[in-house]
Amino acid sequence: MREQRIYPVGIQDFEKLRKEKALYVDKTDLIYNLTRKYYVFLSRPRRFGKSLLSSTLKYYFQGRKDLFQGLAIEQLEQEWVEYPVLHFDFSTAKNVDVQYIVSKLDSMLVDYEKIYGKNPVNITPGDRLTNLIKAAHKQTGKKTVVIIDEYDAPMLDVLHDDDRMAEVRKMMQEFYAPLKACDADLRFVFITGITKFSQLSIFSVINNLTNVSMSPEFSAICGITEEELHTVFEEDIT
């Protein structure tokens, strides 16, 4: 009797997926090519695998070779360097007020400040991110990786409210500003969202992002292609 395969429904953490031996459509050759770039933006609809991709990138840059055994990237990557990774997930910051966003930013920053050193009080989230990026680089000797998942979640639900939108946009622009200012301390920046960054004018301070959303080279990096459906999933759908 054929062993039943585990489908990773609802699993967005790559480590959990691999440890539970759940089915994974190998995208790691594309991920390896993506990480040869430096500042990357990817837009995809909701429930399209952006969070799993962000998680996979996090573990790759953490040097977790054990999680990638048997995958394409195992043969491509020879060094498996461990970088400091700052991973920010804004997927829960939907339909919330500005104070919640401030609290969300604070809680995420505090977690990393416990690792790379606390910052002075009464400074902005952007200044705290700047300090973290530089401190992580100095402490580890490796440039910092920043991954931001669903950057636009705090703004999408206030698009109809000009005043709230302006307030949230200003706050988030200040938070993202270090991603350009700290270029010398950064190895890789990856940002995902539903909307193109130009539509919300939030990355006006960052003009060095490469938008791969419509790139044929990375068109299959999220989701499942028809070819993959008929190869990886063939035994389950026949």
Side-chain angles (χ1 to χ4, degrees):
M1 183 176 181
R2 180 171 61 88
E3 182 180 354
Q4 184 175 2
R5 300 197 292 179
I6 301 173
Y7 279 77
V9 178
I11 299 179
Q12 300 182 18
D13 182 77
F14 183 70
E15 180 180 33
K16 180 179 179 181
L17 181 151
R18 294 293 285 171
K19 287 188 173 180
E20 293 189 1
K21 298 184 178 359
L23 185 65
Y24 174 67
V25 179
D26 191 353
K27 308 282 187 176
T28 58
D29 57 333
L30 297 176
I31 289 172
Y32 179 81
N33 292 336
L34 187 73
T35 59
R36 302 310 97 183
K37 301 181 181 297
Y38 296 98
Y39 292 80
V40 179
F41 174 79
L42 176 71
S43 173
R44 288 291 186 272
R46 283 193 173 101
R47 315 303 299 177
F48 222 79
K50 299 187 301 297
S51 294
L52 178 60
L53 174 59
S54 297
S55 174
T56 308
L57 284 165
K58 177 184 74 173
Y59 290 114
Y60 165 71
F61 277 111
Q62 288 177 342
R64 292 290 306 276
K65 183 178 180 180
D66 58 303
L67 298 178
F68 294 87
Q69 291 182 5
L71 300 179
I73 201 170
E74 186 181 28
Q75 304 302 318
L76 296 170
E77 182 58 74
Q78 303 299 316
E79 298 181 352
W80 293 99
V81 176
E82 180 180 354
Y83 294 92
V85 179
L86 307 179
H87 182 200
F88 300 96
D89 180 5
F90 288 101
S91 61
T92 61
K94 302 170 184 174
N95 295 306
V96 296
D97 57 26
V98 173
Q99 190 54 47
Y100 177 89
I101 300 172
V102 172
S103 177
K104 176 77 172 177
L105 282 171
D106 179 67
S107 65
M108 291 189 291
L109 289 166
V110 163
D111 285 343
Y112 290 117
E113 286 166 349
K114 291 176 182 177
I115 302 171
Y116 300 112
K118 291 185 178 294
N119 286 311
V121 296
N122 299 323
I123 64 173
T124 66
D127 287 337
R128 292 170 69 183
L129 179 58
T130 297
N131 290 348
L132 278 171
I133 291 170
K134 291 181 177 297
H137 184 189
K138 182 177 181 180
Q139 182 174 316
T140 65
K142 303 296 182 184
K143 291 187 177 184
T144 306
V145 172
V146 176
I147 299 171
I148 299 172
D149 192 17
E150 295 205 28
Y151 86 94
D152 49 0
M155 291 162 287
L156 291 179
D157 294 309
V158 296
L159 286 173
H160 62 285
D161 188 327
D162 291 342
D163 291 337
R164 289 178 63 198
M165 181 61 182
E167 188 176 11
V168 174
R169 181 193 286 122
K170 182 179 179 180
M171 179 195 312
M172 300 310 294
Q173 281 180 325
E174 192 276 333
F175 178 70
Y176 294 134
L179 300 182
K180 180 178 181 181
C182 295
D183 179 69
D185 298 287
L186 290 166
R187 161 61 181 87
F188 182 75
V189 174
F190 182 68
I191 301 172
T192 77
I194 296 172
T195 58
K196 293 181 181 178
F197 57 86
S198 59
Q199 290 179 283
L200 294 178
S201 303
I202 195 166
F203 292 130
S204 58
V205 293
I206 311 174
N207 56 12
N208 53 350
L209 276 173
T210 300
N211 185 355
V212 300
S213 303
M214 302 299 291
S215 169
E217 180 182 1
F218 300 109
S219 61
I221 201 166
C222 285
I224 300 170
T225 67
E226 183 176 0
E227 180 182 357
E228 289 165 346
L229 183 65
H230 290 288
T231 53
V232 179
F233 299 94
E234 184 70 21
E235 63 180 273
D236 293 326
I237 62 177
T238 54

